[in-house]
Amino acid sequence: MTAIVVLGSTNMDLVAHVARPPRRGETVTGRDFAMVPGGKGANQAVAAARAGGDVAMIGAVGSDAFGPALRHTLAASGVDIDLLRTAEGPSGTAHIVVDDDGGNAIVVVPGANATVTSLVPGDETLIATATTLLLQLEIPLPAVLDGARAAHRHGVRTVLTPAPARPLPPDLLAATDLLVPNEHEAAILTGVAEPRAAAETLLRQVPEVVITLGAAGCLHAVRGAGPRSFPAPEVTAVDTTAAGDTFVGALAVALGEGLPMDRAIPWASAAAALSVQRPGASTSMPYRPEIDSAS
């Protein structure tokens, strides 16, 4: 059985490090540049695999030079890529500016990810073997909805990261078991800025929510119970690019192993805290022994 299936994006991250991000119309000089395999889907797959999960990836890379590099990174982390398609044309790219405070701004160009518009033969069969399906919004929404419905049909837990944030169709929310937005995404989805109030609003649409709050930790809420706060480990952030995806990947592993939320969240938070102390997306993600030692 494949414990975790990820249906989502693969991107090559083109990362520039600067003292501060440029204002509109301004050019600034960066101090270094890196190409790092990423994409929210691939990031969550790598994070889950390094955290000890049995993981498979559904998505697409391009026929360009980035495609083999993206495949290699996933496979080297132990992710099954048998159903990772190759689409004619460029792979997805993410153009990232990281400042000296560890903050980032990102422009995503979908490339091959835009071709993932629905499930294809074999995808639902793989999803049906899983215990958890991880979803994000960097591939076309019809494919995300197809995946959520397939998981729902087979009793597979669906975990949705609503990023980039956009209005979500009721059918997708109805097939979502756990929604994991950050505080900004939660505010966009609900129109409510205060995280606790946003969580209460989201619980009218989904049964369980975790809102990540960066250095302030996260909130967990289920229907019938008030939101509960969890602190984040105190660390000095170097690059927060992969924090959310690391958290979700590790959380999926912990839940798949049967840990209750009050133990799964601190463990996933330890993984995210390790990732922000290192540069890059997939390159920053910790392995199981590191997480166990830090949690």
Side-chain angles (χ1 to χ4, degrees):
M1 174 179 283
T2 300
I4 298 169
V5 171
V6 182
L7 171 60
S9 59
T10 58
N11 294 324
M12 183 61 77
D13 293 347
L14 309 174
V15 187
H17 289 262
V18 297
R20 62 170 181 80
R23 302 181 182 90
R24 185 176 182 180
E26 181 186 20
T27 299
V28 300
T29 300
R31 69 173 173 275
D32 58 46
F33 170 79
M35 292 193 300
V36 182
K40 294 196 74 63
N43 285 346
Q44 291 183 5
V46 169
R50 291 186 179 182
D54 179 10
V55 185
M57 177 85 194
I58 300 172
V61 298
S63 57
D64 59 358
F66 290 155
L70 294 168
R71 286 181 172 277
H72 173 77
T73 295
L74 287 162
S77 293
V79 178
D80 182 336
I81 57 171
D82 286 351
L83 294 184
L84 184 63
R85 316 167 199 171
T86 297
E88 192 65 31
S91 299
T93 53
H95 305 257
I96 304 172
V97 174
V98 180
D99 61 43
D100 281 351
D101 293 326
N104 62 77
I106 306 173
V107 176
V108 175
V109 181
N113 297 305
T115 69
V116 185
T117 56
S118 64
L119 298 183
V120 298
D123 290 350
E124 182 165 349
T125 301
L126 179 63
I127 291 169
T129 69
T131 56
T132 302
L133 175 67
L134 299 184
L135 298 164
Q136 321 79 35
L137 301 177
E138 286 186 342
I139 59 173
L141 199 56
V144 178
L145 184 54
D146 271 4
R149 285 171 169 165
H152 200 59
R153 281 194 293 272
H154 295 284
V156 176
R157 178 196 292 115
T158 55
V159 179
L160 173 62
T161 303
R166 68 182 79 173
L168 299 178
D171 285 358
L172 177 56
L173 292 167
T176 297
D177 297 307
L178 173 61
L179 188 69
V180 190
N182 64 27
E183 57 188 310
H184 307 295
E185 292 152 1
I188 291 170
L189 291 174
T190 62
V192 178
E194 201 284 313
R196 286 181 172 271
E200 296 287 359
T201 299
L202 289 169
L203 288 177
R204 299 170 193 160
Q205 300 172 294
V206 296
E208 189 169 15
V209 177
V210 173
I211 300 179
T212 59
L213 307 171
C218 67
L219 289 175
H220 172 238
V222 295
R223 285 178 182 162
R228 181 179 175 187
S229 296
F230 288 82
E234 293 187 14
V235 298
T236 300
V238 172
D239 182 353
T240 61
T241 304
D245 294 331
T246 302
F247 177 84
V248 171
L251 184 66
V253 172
L255 294 176
E257 293 177 356
L259 291 183
M261 271 292 187
D262 62 353
R263 291 177 59 197
I265 286 176
W267 194 77
S269 295
L274 288 167
S275 78
V276 304
Q277 297 176 72
R278 307 164 181 171
S282 57
T283 52
S284 73
M285 293 172 172
Y287 288 85
R288 179 69 175 251
E290 299 175 274
I291 305 170
D292 287 341
S293 294
S295 61

